[in-house]
Amino acid sequence: MPTIHPAPKPSSPTYFTPRNMADLLSIINPATEALIQELPADNPAAVAEKYNQARGAQPEWGALPLADRISPILRFRDLLVERVDALAALLTSETGKPITQARNEILALPGRIDFFVAHSDRVLTPEPVYAEPAHALPGCGALEEVITQEPLGVVANISAWNYPYFVGGNVFVPALLMGNAVLYKPSEFATLTGGAIAALLHESGIPEDIFIPVIGSGMTGAALLEQPIDGVFFTGSYATGQKIAVAAALKLIRPQLELGGKDPAYVCADANVAVAAAGLADGAFYNNGQSCCAVERIYVHTDVYDEFLEVFLQTVEGFKLGDPTDPNTYLGPVSRKPQLDVLADQVADALAKGATLRCGGKILNRPGWYFAPTVLTEVNHTMTVMQEETFGPVIGIQRVASDAEAVALMQDTPYGLTAAVYGTDRQRAVDILSQLKTGSAYWNCCDRVSPRLPWSGRGHSGLGTTLSLAGIATFLQPRAWHLRAG
Ligand code: NAD
């Protein structure tokens, strides 16, 4: 049996003690630019040591009855709710996520945990698939064919900063339930939250050598991939995803890649314009546009274009921007300073090519990494704002003359995470969405994730699936049993 240790408290130095210290991570508050803390990162030797701990502990963890893995996960779920105020404050301090949205994220994870727990037994249950009675001949006893499921072993969970509870939890919760050990590398921009998640899991009873935080930036992530791990589950950018895929290919291990998007939405001529404008403004600007499935491009049928634009702009102008610790704030700073230049460059490129600036368009002159919420019209696909992931509070809105024109523009991307259609005719929406290569399709909604449905991307948006039954089974490998009575 793996040892179930009493866990350290979130402030424990356990995760951040110098271990052959490689370099220091500076944790900066994006709203104030103040240094919160400096932390030592794990160098390759420390990563190897953590890997060895996980490798040694995993067989016993994987052999436990499922109920013994479920009970600490359920304690973790309850502690998330109990500690939400402190956890949300920490997340807001290091990412600038508005506190209300930080709370929403943390309080939505328990629903996902409930789904994983409810379906774990079903995914793990051995499946008899064939039986043949004995024949009279020697060596022809009764035959059974059975499929059982085994954990992958030691998996790496390399995570992003924009939704650390969601994108991390989609991986480490089912991975642990299925009997794997997890080497969890939080993003360097959500490191304190990563430490808090680890402390909470350990306090809940997950052994410290079964869920191990690996602290550092991309260099530490690369060192993790040098270890003989059994799978890598990555959330992040397309550029880093390519590197992960190469490393996984050389090891012949399973890569799962949840990558970026350039998600389009189309407002049909028969849409309820008020619903579409409110829904798409939220889809484009929630979490400051820093969602993998944020609405990144909007196409509007010319019949409703003017009305849509008016309501959309009113909605955006009503968003409260400011201190992310204020519960009424909807737009905080962006989480990473270099993103300000990406946003400014996309706006400048669009304006140089003939776009019209309807609001925003600039870095705000105040402490913190704030970019004014920006709406551009008269945009086209020569502009980077309609082609490259924006990942910030900037949206382009393009007028179209027909459904066919909308489909052609929506398809014009190497990404394929989600797409949305707003309109009253369900069949028309389904027909349009069926023509697009995306993992998720939305009718009269957007920027939505359900634990019951698979979360996956096409093209540059990634490989593999989280959530749904497939997102649990992805942490298992099947074994084929050919059992003949002697
Ligand atoms: P990123 O690619 O910069 O970093 C992601 C993680 O990879 C971090 O932990 C980082 O330290 C690590 N990393 C960087 N270089 C590495 C290397 N060479 N080897 C191993 N690890 C390395 O991405 P980000 O800025 O943290 O996240 C934003 C991106 O994530 C956006 O493109 C967004 O769309 C995407 N995202 C996708 C989903 C999804 O479900 N599809 C969800 C959230 C975010």
Side-chain angles (χ1 to χ4, degrees):
M1 288 277 290
T3 327
I4 310 268
H5 307 286
K9 296 286 174 271
S11 59
S12 161
T14 304
Y15 313 114
F16 306 131
T17 306
R19 299 156 55 99
N20 308 311
M21 188 175 83
D23 58 354
L24 283 178
L25 286 183
S26 298
I27 313 292
I28 311 278
N29 183 328
T32 62
E33 301 178 52
L35 177 69
I36 301 174
Q37 205 171 333
E38 284 194 315
L39 297 171
D42 284 315
N43 72 1
V47 173
E49 194 184 316
K50 290 184 173 187
Y51 165 79
N52 287 332
Q53 283 175 11
R55 178 59 75 195
Q58 187 276 327
E60 288 180 72
W61 174 251
L64 283 178
L66 175 61
D68 290 358
R69 295 196 297 267
I70 285 179
S71 58
I73 291 292
L74 291 179
R75 279 202 293 282
F76 172 67
R77 176 197 65 182
D78 294 344
L79 284 177
L80 285 171
V81 178
E82 207 178 282
R83 308 266 173 89
V84 63
D85 291 344
L87 296 171
L90 190 67
L91 180 56
T92 294
S93 73
E94 66 179 335
T95 64
K97 180 177 292 219
I99 190 78
T100 304
Q101 296 174 21
R103 289 176 63 87
N104 289 347
E105 181 186 344
I106 295 162
L107 292 176
L109 184 54
R112 296 191 185 189
I113 292 174
D114 287 342
F115 174 83
F116 293 135
V117 166
H119 293 88
S120 287
D121 189 43
R122 173 173 168 190
V123 175
L124 279 170
T125 301
E127 189 187 356
V129 289
Y130 182 70
E132 196 178 279
H135 300 295
L137 298 171
C140 287
L143 176 73
E144 279 178 83
E145 292 177 0
V146 179
I147 304 169
T148 60
Q149 300 291 341
E150 299 172 352
L152 297 176
V154 177
V155 299
N157 175 189
I158 301 180
S159 202
W161 47 265
N162 60 338
Y163 287 93
Y165 286 91
F166 279 169
V167 300
N170 290 351
V171 171
F172 64 71
V173 173
L176 291 168
L177 286 169
M178 294 303 105
N180 299 280
V182 178
L183 293 165
Y184 168 64
K185 201 201 85 57
S187 164
E188 57 272 42
F189 303 105
T191 299
L192 300 178
T193 292
I197 287 173
L200 217 59
L201 282 166
H202 296 160
E203 183 175 346
S204 305
I206 300 290
E208 287 181 33
D209 42 14
I210 285 299
F211 183 86
I212 307 183
V214 175
I215 300 304
S217 62
M219 275 165 49
T220 305
L224 183 50
L225 292 172
E226 295 291 310
Q227 298 303 313
I229 50 176
D230 301 307
V232 52
F233 295 79
F234 171 78
T235 309
S237 61
Y238 169 65
T240 312
Q242 283 181 304
K243 294 180 192 163
I244 305 281
V246 168
L250 294 175
K251 288 180 162 339
L252 293 182
I253 58 167
R254 185 173 303 177
Q256 183 152 299
L257 308 172
E258 307 266 0
L259 309 180
K262 190 69 193 167
D263 295 358
Y266 171 45
V267 182
C268 299
D270 65 353
N272 178 327
V273 169
V275 168
L280 291 174
D282 188 48
F285 290 97
Y286 191 83
N287 198 27
N288 229 343
Q290 300 171 121
S291 305
C292 53
C293 52
V295 174
E296 291 242 342
R297 304 177 279 150
I298 301 177
Y299 305 98
V300 185
H301 194 279
T302 189
D303 289 357
V304 288
Y305 179 87
D306 293 336
E307 189 188 350
F308 173 86
L309 187 59
E310 189 184 336
V311 187
F312 190 89
L313 288 169
Q314 276 168 9
T315 310
V316 174
E317 279 154 13
F319 289 149
K320 186 174 180 323
L321 178 146
D323 176 3
T325 66
D326 178 344
N328 295 315
T329 293
Y330 181 84
L331 290 167
V334 297
S335 303
R336 293 172 56 253
K337 192 176 184 185
Q339 199 62 19
L340 291 173
D341 292 335
V342 173
L343 301 176
D345 287 351
Q346 286 198 355
V347 172
D349 172 75
L351 295 179
K353 291 172 180 166
T356 302
L357 184 65
R358 299 288 181 160
C359 65
K362 60 178 187 301
I363 299 169
L364 293 180
N365 184 18
R366 54 176 287 167
W369 306 328
Y370 286 87
F371 200 91
T374 299
V375 178
L376 293 160
T377 57
E378 283 71 54
V379 290
N380 61 55
H381 278 218
T382 67
M383 301 172 185
T384 54
V385 74
M386 299 302 276
Q387 292 280 288
E388 294 173 12
E389 192 177 38
T390 300
F391 223 57
V394 176
I395 187 78
I397 303 180
Q398 185 166 353
R399 186 196 293 265
V400 294
S402 65
D403 291 357
E405 185 185 357
V407 168
L409 290 167
M410 291 166 97
Q411 277 174 330
D412 181 26
T413 177
Y415 289 106
L417 195 56
T418 81
V421 170
Y422 282 75
T424 46
D425 184 342
R426 175 180 167 143
Q427 191 55 50
R428 175 194 212 161
V430 169
D431 288 345
I432 292 171
L433 290 165
S434 300
Q435 295 175 62
L436 309 175
K437 293 192 176 99
T438 63
S440 293
Y442 302 123
W443 178 43
N444 290 323
C445 57
C446 61
D447 191 23
R448 180 178 190 277
V449 181
S450 162
R452 296 167 292 278
L453 293 172
W455 188 248
S456 67
R458 309 282 189 269
H460 288 196
S461 292
L463 277 181
T465 302
T466 52
L467 301 173
S468 76
L469 290 181
I472 305 176
T474 193
F475 297 99
L476 295 167
Q477 51 197 333
R479 181 185 287 253
W481 295 87
H482 308 243
L483 303 169
R484 191 183 286 282

